[in-house]
Amino acid sequence: VIVNSALEQASADKEAQKANLDKERRRLVKELRKMFMRLDDDGSGCISLEEIKAAASEDQEMLYSLLALEKPMEIFKILDVDGTGEIEIDEFCESIWQSVVSKAPVELKRMEKQVVQLRRDMKEVLELQKGQQRAGPHERARPESETS
């Protein structure tokens, strides 16, 4: 009876903790979306390094506190996982949320995302190679000296 009661309490605690985490995520993502809109000066739907640098002091302070980083370039590098030089709203919100809830250092999360992107890129390259192999051997391009 005592063991069952303890298990039920642990389960209820876990559910309450999950509900609190979900509530916190919704609150933070709502705030991050508002911040993103303020940062996106040109209305492109993406944030550039220049826009991060030009952020209002309260937005910079929030980013610094959430990511435990102080330089705009460091923040931008952490958030621009795909290396495009721009950060989309989902990339922005998800990266910051993952940094907030993760016990791992921000840099480790960035490396994990880069590995995932690298795997996607490698898969694409392999598919292209397979397509070229199926097309058959291509005629070797001859130097101009051989064609004259």
Side-chain angles (χ1 to χ4, degrees), residues 1-11:
V1 173
I2 294 173
V3 172
N4 284 341
S5 177
L7 289 173
E8 288 172 8
Q9 184 61 43
S11 178

Side-chain angles (χ1 to χ4, degrees), residues 23-148:
K23 183 178 177 182
E24 176 62 16
R25 178 185 170 96
R26 285 191 302 275
R27 185 199 63 75
L28 181 60
V29 168
K30 184 178 178 180
E31 285 299 312
L32 291 172
R33 286 184 175 277
K34 288 178 187 176
M35 180 193 300
F36 185 92
M37 296 306 181
R38 288 190 304 268
L39 294 173
D40 186 15
D41 285 338
D42 62 3
S44 66
C46 294
I47 298 174
S48 66
L49 175 58
E50 289 73 29
E51 289 171 321
I52 293 265
K53 286 180 180 179
S57 60
E58 62 270 6
D59 288 336
Q60 286 185 7
E61 288 173 20
M62 184 176 176
L63 287 172
Y64 298 162
S65 68
L66 290 171
L67 298 172
L69 299 170
E70 294 190 17
K71 296 179 182 172
M73 186 63 181
E74 291 175 337
I75 292 171
F76 191 80
K77 283 173 140 179
I78 294 298
L79 299 177
D80 184 24
V81 177
D82 57 9
T84 61
E86 295 183 327
I87 304 165
E88 295 176 354
I89 192 165
D90 292 333
E91 186 178 18
F92 179 79
C93 294
E94 185 61 25
S95 294
I96 293 175
W97 173 250
Q98 287 301 320
S99 296
V100 168
V101 296
S102 175
K103 291 180 171 85
V106 174
E107 293 82 7
L108 183 59
K109 297 303 290 179
R110 177 173 163 70
M111 288 189 310
E112 286 176 11
K113 290 180 180 182
Q114 286 176 330
V115 168
V116 168
Q117 183 65 41
L118 184 60
R119 291 185 72 197
R120 283 188 204 126
D121 292 347
M122 291 300 297
K123 184 177 180 180
E124 186 178 316
V125 167
L126 288 173
E127 288 173 5
L128 287 172
Q129 284 179 338
K130 286 179 184 177
Q132 288 176 350
Q133 288 174 351
R134 282 187 229 127
H138 297 297
E139 186 177 308
R140 177 175 70 93
R142 293 187 291 172
E144 285 186 36
S145 62
E146 290 182 21
T147 58
S148 7

